[in-house]
Amino acid sequence: MAPLLEVKNVSKSFPGVLANDNISLTVNAGEVVALLGENGAGKSTLVKMIYGLYPPDSGEIFINGNKVELTSPKAAIDLGVGMVHQHFQLVPVFSVAQNVALGAEKKRYGLYDSQQAEEDVAALSQKYGLAVDPAVKIEDLPVGTQQRVEILKVLYRDAKLLILDEPTAVLTPQETDELLEVMRGFAKQGVGVIFITHKLREVLAVADRVVVLRNGKQVGETKPSETDQAGLAKMMVGRSVVLDVKKELAKPKEEVLRIEKIVVKDDRNLIGLNELSLSVKAGEIVGIAGVEGNGQRELVQAITGLRKIEAGKVYINNVDATDSSPYQVHKMGVAHVPEDRERDGLVASYSIADNLVLNRFTEAEFSKRGVRQVEPIKKLARFLVEKFAVKTPSIETNAGALSGGNKQKLVIARELAWGPKLLVAAQPTRGVDVGSIEFIHNQIVQARDNGAAVLLVSAELDEVLGLADRVAVIYAGKIVAELDAAAADRNKVGRLMAGGDTN
Amino acid sequence: MSKFLTRHQKPVLWTLLVVFIAYGFYFWDSVRTTSILNFTLSYALPLILAAMVGIIGERSGVVNIGIEGQMLFSAFVAFFAAAATGSLIMGAFLGMAAGLLAGAFLGIAAVRWEMDQIIAGVVINIVAAGITSFYYTPGKSLPAIVPRIKIPVLSEIPLLGPVFFNKSVFVYLTLIIVVVLQIMLFTSKWGLRTRAVGEYPSAADTAGINVFRTRIFNVAIAGILAGTAGAYLSLDAAGWFERGFTAGRGFLALAIMIFGAWNPLGAMAAALFFGFASGMASQLQADEVINIPQQFINMLPYVMTLVVLSFSAGKVRPPAAVGQPYKKEG
Ligand SMILES: Nc1ncnc2c1ncn2[C@@H]1O[C@H](COP(=O)(O)OP(=O)(O)OP(=O)(O)O)[C@@H](O)[C@H]1O
Ligand SMILES: [Mg+2]
């Protein structure tokens, strides 16, 4: 029998980059193929061609043994291809059912049959154990649930080939485990799955085969049974990667951030932070551990001036920064790596160079009498792109054209470059490949050693435990425990995160 | 029906209240009330149609600042076509065709050529103003006036009858268009796709919907409504044509669209409210109850626009992707 999907010698270039160079890939029915590779290796490009979003420059694609021309997503959908995108593709003001049915609507009396759609979605979510209420609006749902909606969308169209582009980047560990379970279930029913992720643990847990890309080229193929995390990392990056963070013991100095009993509301106008207090000193990394949705987002936004503080005080270097504007907070020496890089981290239609001075373009070096100083900006941009290994054809390229992980590196580069006194980093390595995670971690440690105070928020418990000198556990909008890194082991922190007590 | 009532409680109550008050006045002074309401409807009619043009465009993600020009051009074509052919029907059809043409231009320029949508609209306004003044010939007149169609039974109802059911075909057509559009936009497959394209085009694209085609189609079809509005103005409401004839109604319609929160029925209510305020002011003026120079009375709709917009700004939310050309990117 012909394989479900066969990609033969496909190439694709963008201005200045050969994103895919003669790639071939086979996926059989009932198989999970993991696609692995550094940021900008060409993974998203490859699957987007299979989904009909870009036409290949050359090469052929076969589905069930027939050569196909995938000129639009519609053509791919009609052939049984479904895709969950790296960046969610849901209409925020539509209900779950409307999003699922969109493009494949059933009709009654010539009109869109919303009742049928809601019933179908309810049935599907029951059948696959993807709990979600079909009538709720997307904008009212947490990301983990939105991800489920994306998967329901694909199921609704009866996909035979399921493409998942970094679906776990925004999920909590529990949600990730559920998703891996769901993927295995699909494979059992004969669906072919292409799974892109940067988390090697997930690859080993779920994949039948692993295909590795580097710089647009296919560099190898392996099976989870024949390798381990270190082996996979080496195949991807081409050198051994240190997966643990190496750092000296912290030498904390004066207090930089002091939060006194702040109360903040969340998006639904409920109490998000409940008299939370916290302190971060120069030269130390404080990591916030917690199950997503316990106030992490609100905490970061309250410090950086993005959310109103109802009560309590925030001091930065002993200056009252409560309810300051983001600009004022920045002027006090605070750098912010936001969790949603697409929305809050960069301006997609600006060049990389301009994005790199977004927080500094008013400084004398970059602006003279209100005129932008092109050469100094370019010089800085070239230096940062080189130092942070942002993969791009040029510094004039629009930030929107970068691969997901490279966008993240761009934001990190900008925020670390100016020597902030306090770094507030939310999910700093989300969507970043293992090699670059190592690099970003080292940069954060270096910022600490140069005397910066660092507040790290991450959904990855391993990242918090590996990087932090002090771990603060957040639960229901309060810090429920602070532990020295040495005393913070996985089990104990996990219990505290779930609301258990210290003993 | 009961489900409809519970879901749309507020608008239904408001409508009942308005009807109740209208009849109150009617029994007090039937002549003046009827005349004010007649004025209200004829003043509102082109605004309603033009607001529909804006709604269809913006709901699919395209700003239409060129409604003014589309109406002006269509009014011009309708009038001179009717005068030349001696047929009102011919005039109306060619007016609508002119609207379609102007709509298609905006669609193709803004979507296919990725021209800035505001600029494309301004182009339409300028070109329409240019063409209609250059080719304007004085001294032409229409072959006939647009006939009133009396709807049996309904036209006998006091007040509502003469105001709504003894009117030209344009009035009936407009009322039907508003209702149909309201239903289509929120309960049809076309509506779902249109709103998706206007809110989050890449989501629509990845769901297999052709964003470009949807936008161009919608903006072009909306042009027909602009054409209808233009034809109504020159053939029915005025019976003549003059340079700069549309007098800013296309821009007023955009304010009405916002006031109506991008809903067809809401926009119709807003337009009627504008019409009523103007009608009231003229009536009071005519009765010499108030004595304000006519110029200030003429300013009323624009002042109301300012007031209304500054109150509704921030409360209503436009479609998220409005004004942005869709580009496929990684
Ligand atoms: N629309 C585009 N225009 C120009 N260049 C692009 C575009 N999309 C991708 N590229 C470039 O093609 C290369 C491959 O990008 P791609 O998004 O496929 O990487 P990826 O493997 O998915 O990376 P990541 O893990 O960071 O998501 C990158 O160098 C990127 O800058
Ligand atoms: Mg990618």
Side-chain angles (χ1 to χ4, degrees), chain A residues 48 51 53-54 73-74 77 85 87-94 98 102-105 107 111-112 157 400 407, chain B residues 3 183-184 186-189 191-193 195-196 199-200 202-209 317 328-330:
Chain A
K48 279 182 183 169
Y51 193 63
L53 279 164
Y54 301 142
K74 176 133 189 32
I77 291 167
H85 299 260
H87 192 198
F88 287 164
Q89 298 298 338
L90 299 169
V91 182
V93 296
F94 278 14
Q98 285 175 325
L102 183 66
E105 305 88 348
K107 292 211 265 185
L111 297 176
Y112 160 69
R157 282 144 226 260
K407 285 179 186 159
Chain B
K3 201 172 147 195
I183 294 172
M184 291 289 282
F186 295 102
T187 54
S188 79
K189 177 173 142 180
L192 193 71
R193 293 182 169 200
R195 287 184 293 134
E199 286 287 344
Y200 203 124
S202 68
D205 187 16
T206 53
I209 294 162
R317 204 191 55 87
K328 295 194 181 208
E329 65 174 12

Side-chain angles (χ1 to χ4, degrees), chain A residues 96-397:
Chain A
V96 169
Q98 285 175 325
N99 266 290
V100 171
L102 183 66
E105 305 88 348
K106 288 179 187 151
K107 292 211 265 185
R108 186 157 140 250
Y109 307 131
L111 297 176
Y112 160 69
D113 190 346
S114 67
Q115 206 176 334
Q116 183 71 45
E118 288 186 8
E119 280 168 20
D120 288 351
V121 171
L124 269 181
S125 86
Q126 183 103 77
K127 182 171 165 200
Y128 289 94
L130 299 161
V132 53
D133 178 352
V136 193
K137 273 192 191 166
I138 292 295
E139 59 191 1
D140 296 332
L141 290 176
V143 277
T145 317
Q146 292 189 19
Q147 181 71 270
R148 271 181 236 154
V149 180
E150 284 281 16
I151 293 171
L152 285 171
K153 226 161 103 179
V154 174
L155 291 174
Y156 188 74
R157 282 144 226 260
D158 229 348
K160 297 282 169 284
L161 175 67
L162 176 58
I163 301 169
L164 298 154
D165 193 353
E166 294 192 36
T168 58
V170 291
L171 298 188
T172 63
Q174 297 87 319
E175 287 169 333
T176 300
D177 288 340
E178 279 169 31
L179 180 65
L180 297 185
E181 205 52 49
V182 171
M183 278 163 63
R184 285 260 52 114
F186 289 154
K188 247 189 227 124
Q189 291 171 28
V191 174
V193 181
I194 301 178
F195 175 42
I196 300 178
T197 182
H198 289 295
K199 298 177 194 166
L200 306 175
R201 174 182 81 83
E202 298 167 4
V203 174
L204 295 176
V206 77
D208 296 304
R209 236 157 13 96
V210 186
V211 173
V212 182
L213 303 185
R214 194 192 310 149
N215 264 328
K217 290 194 188 59
Q218 206 163 349
V219 293
E221 189 173 324
T222 181
K223 289 202 166 66
S225 53
E226 294 162 3
T227 184
D228 58 8
Q229 291 204 19
L232 286 176
K234 186 164 181 201
M235 254 178 113
M236 264 173 71
V237 187
R239 63 178 165 89
S240 302
V241 178
V242 185
L243 294 169
D244 295 325
V245 188
K246 270 207 231 112
K247 58 180 172 57
E248 313 266 300
L249 223 53
K251 300 183 201 72
K253 291 192 249 331
E254 78 284 359
E255 182 176 63
V256 175
L257 173 70
R258 185 168 81 248
I259 299 176
E260 287 176 359
K261 294 197 169 179
I262 54 169
V263 177
V264 163
K265 286 189 182 154
D266 66 10
D267 288 342
R268 287 167 302 166
N269 238 353
L270 306 174
I271 297 293
L273 296 181
N274 186 7
E275 301 200 340
L276 179 143
S277 300
L278 184 70
S279 144
V280 184
K281 298 193 177 70
E284 73 167 348
I285 302 175
V286 173
I288 301 288
V291 176
E292 204 147 310
N294 274 289
Q296 292 94 323
R297 224 163 72 84
E298 289 77 13
L299 174 60
V300 169
Q301 292 180 336
I303 299 169
T304 51
L306 290 165
R307 192 172 281 265
K308 190 170 176 302
I309 295 171
E310 311 285 333
K313 291 275 173 205
V314 173
Y315 295 94
I316 291 163
N317 282 320
N318 281 321
V319 179
D320 188 348
T322 317
D323 278 331
S324 300
S325 70
Y327 180 75
Q328 289 166 331
V329 174
H330 168 75
K331 284 287 167 210
M332 293 175 181
V334 180
H336 176 208
V337 176
E339 67 170 346
D340 187 345
R341 60 180 173 241
E342 311 272 346
R343 202 186 65 198
D344 304 325
L346 37 80
V347 184
S349 57
Y350 281 14
S351 71
I352 290 174
D354 286 344
N355 268 290
L356 283 169
V357 289
L358 273 187
N359 54 354
R360 288 209 273 171
F361 66 91
T362 52
E363 286 175 15
E365 196 186 342
F366 303 114
S367 121
K368 281 213 177 77
R369 284 175 235 100
V371 178
R372 202 156 128 274
Q373 295 302 296
V374 179
E375 267 320 309
I377 292 176
K378 280 188 178 169
K379 199 169 140 231
L380 174 80
R382 273 192 292 269
F383 169 73
L384 288 177
V385 162
E386 163 98 32
K387 180 172 172 197
F388 284 82
V390 179
K391 196 164 174 289
T392 169
S394 92
I395 54 166
E396 302 298 338
T397 306

Side-chain angles (χ1 to χ4, degrees), chain A residues 14 17 19 39-45 54 86 166 198 401 403-405, chain B residues 330:
Chain A
F14 292 110
V17 236
N39 297 126
K43 306 177 296 293
S44 295
T45 305
Y54 301 142
Q86 187 164 2
E166 294 192 36
H198 289 295
S403 80

Side-chain angles (χ1 to χ4, degrees), chain B residues 254-262 266-267 270-271 273-274 308-309 312 316:
Chain B
L254 289 175
I256 283 167
M257 165 189 78
I258 296 171
F259 192 29
W262 287 265
F273 174 65
F274 269 65
V308 155
L309 284 188
S312 55
V316 288

